[in-house]
Amino acid sequence: MADPYKKVGYPTMPKSLFCRCSPKVYRPGILARASLWLLLPAVASTAQAAPADDVYDEIARIESEQGAFGASLGEHLLSLATGYQARGKHVEAVEAFKRALHVQRINEGLYSMNQVPAMEAMIESQIALGDWDEAAKRHSHMYWLHQRNFGVDDPRMLPMLEKMSSWHLNAFSLSPVNIANHLLSAHQLFAMSIDIIDKNYGREDMQMIKPLKGLAVSNYYLATLKAEQSRRSAMMTTSSNGNDTAQAERKARLDHYILNSYYNGKQAITKMIDIYETADHTDQSDLIAAHVQLGDWYMMFDRSNAAMGQYELAFDKIATTNTLDEFSKELFDKPHALPDMPLLETQAHNPNQPHDYVLVKFDVTSRGEARNVDILESKPENHVGNRAMVRRSLKSAKFRPRMVAGKPVDTKGIVHRYILPKS
């Protein structure tokens, strides 16, 4: 199968790119990837009834009458698989999904789009088993199937690209291996969506907004991707398995994206502003939020003067619109930890489960920097590492400052509880 990610789009580019979340702290190596929401909803829930005895009986009847590949066998195998899945029996579910797909292909052909729901459901079980490589292969197969039916530049490719880019961005956050591979794949898929929309609808079309958001986020995480993470991702190896050239090319592509990530991300958000400004019926809150997002981008990359210019521009636009008081409070009434990107969700903290934490008090300056950090309490009390990690995180953190009368001001005495993984 050809590599579905071989075609690389070009960055152009991102309503709120950055989310309204309070800062969190995680163990080193995860911190940089841990403050995002889902760009897209997950695949459909599998909370269905467990397999009933009549499912097994019906499968046995069809096999005896029609053979192992009877046309009506597929739907009953899918029912069996989803029942296993609902009970948490994911190994059995994957095997049942595989057999259901095999029956579908024999009866409907290799290119039948009816395979897609079963593939998506199988991916859920593969992720539950921690089999990220097989889940990625299944996504690649779905891409190939869509491309075979629709063609590379057909707009009907967009829903599939949207799902795949979201999945890879989430896998970047949650998968313990090959994180650079997932980030690079998400980045390229967002760019491919932009290319399709440009060719079919024009570069000012509002459909651009969602993939532009994704491309901006992938650029931010490319910029923060550490060299050792890139090396661990197996982007390039010295093995003699015949894939060294392809791996080297992929590694070179990653390095190129990392080098240009700041400028490409800035271009993405600027492009989003342009689309909002030229659209016939733009919600002013979307345009204002985009200016704030550009300010956040500047702030995260230590361009505080440029950031303040965008924040003040956004504040002035709000002042001319009498209906946006609550929106203004949401954006500027308190400091916001950056990045503020609602695109991806890591594993959520369960308040009913035991957890470590550090309760800290600090100030945020008008320049968006944390000062006067004071650890109030922590659990466990004697865990010096957790306290030190929070101090280091706040020392390097960037904030969108509180604004009063259109100007950034200091904020004193912020108290926040940082939830950490259980030691």
Side-chain angles (χ1 to χ4, degrees), residues 282-320:
T282 296
D283 187 329
Q284 282 299 299
S285 64
D286 290 335
L287 176 58
I288 292 167
H291 281 290
V292 171
Q293 291 153 20
L294 183 56
D296 290 347
W297 188 265
Y298 287 136
M299 183 67 77
M300 290 187 294
F301 289 92
D302 297 318
R303 273 82 168 174
S304 57
N305 289 333
M308 297 308 165
Q310 291 296 315
Y311 294 152
E312 291 174 10
L313 177 60
F315 201 95
D316 290 342
K317 286 181 177 293
I318 291 173
T320 64

Side-chain angles (χ1 to χ4, degrees), residues 289-420:
H291 281 290
V292 171
Q293 291 153 20
L294 183 56
D296 290 347
W297 188 265
Y298 287 136
M299 183 67 77
M300 290 187 294
F301 289 92
D302 297 318
R303 273 82 168 174
S304 57
N305 289 333
M308 297 308 165
Q310 291 296 315
Y311 294 152
E312 291 174 10
L313 177 60
F315 201 95
D316 290 342
K317 286 181 177 293
I318 291 173
T320 64
T321 308
N322 297 327
T323 60
L324 295 179
D325 288 344
E326 290 302 317
F327 183 59
S328 174
K329 291 178 181 179
E330 187 178 325
L331 291 173
F332 295 123
D333 267 16
K334 62 182 179 182
H336 289 256
L338 304 177
D340 194 14
M341 301 181 175
L343 288 167
L344 170 157
E345 187 171 7
T346 57
Q347 292 170 334
H349 164 66
N350 183 347
N352 296 319
Q353 296 296 322
H355 60 271
D356 295 349
Y357 69 87
V358 175
L359 185 66
V360 61
K361 181 179 179 180
F362 58 96
D363 303 335
V364 172
T365 71
S366 61
R367 306 294 288 180
E369 299 170 339
R371 293 287 186 268
N372 304 320
V373 177
D374 183 20
I375 305 296
L376 302 179
E377 65 179 67
S378 64
K379 178 184 177 181
E381 294 183 9
N382 59 350
H383 200 304
V384 177
N386 284 352
R387 291 169 172 254
M389 183 170 65
V390 169
R391 287 188 182 276
R392 286 195 305 269
S393 297
L394 284 171
K395 184 177 181 179
S396 60
K398 296 294 181 181
F399 292 82
R400 182 194 315 150
R402 182 167 59 96
M403 303 277 286
V404 175
K407 299 297 180 183
V409 297
D410 295 344
T411 303
K412 305 287 187 180
I414 298 171
V415 177
H416 185 80
R417 182 188 299 268
Y418 286 83
I419 304 299
L420 292 90

Side-chain angles (χ1 to χ4, degrees), residues 207-241:
Q207 292 181 81
M208 284 279 193
I209 295 299
K210 186 172 285 187
L212 287 176
K213 287 182 181 182
L215 196 55
V217 170
S218 65
N219 272 297
Y220 172 76
Y221 285 98
L222 283 166
T224 58
L225 193 66
K226 296 180 181 179
E228 60 268 26
Q229 290 174 320
S230 177
R231 288 194 294 271
R232 285 202 306 268
S233 70
M235 298 296 297
M236 183 175 182
T237 70
T238 57
S239 63
S240 56
N241 58 8

Side-chain angles (χ1 to χ4, degrees), residues 42-48 85 124:
V43 270
S45 171
T46 58
Q48 302 178 20
Q85 193 175 60
E124 290 190 44

Side-chain angles (χ1 to χ4, degrees), residues 133 171-172 175-183 229 232-235:
D133 287 343
F172 164 70
S175 174
V177 296
N178 293 336
I179 61 171
N181 279 306
H182 287 300
L183 183 57
Q229 290 174 320
R232 285 202 306 268
S233 70
M235 298 296 297

Side-chain angles (χ1 to χ4, degrees), residues 26-31 226 389 392:
Y26 296 80
R27 59 171 64 95
I30 300 177
L31 178 61
K226 296 180 181 179
M389 183 170 65
R392 286 195 305 269

Side-chain angles (χ1 to χ4, degrees), residues 102-123:
H102 188 54
V103 171
Q104 281 185 321
R105 289 168 187 150
I106 288 175
N107 287 281
E108 301 178 27
L110 292 174
Y111 311 134
S112 171
M113 294 295 289
N114 290 333
Q115 302 172 66
V116 172
M119 289 181 176
E120 292 180 330
M122 189 195 300
I123 288 170

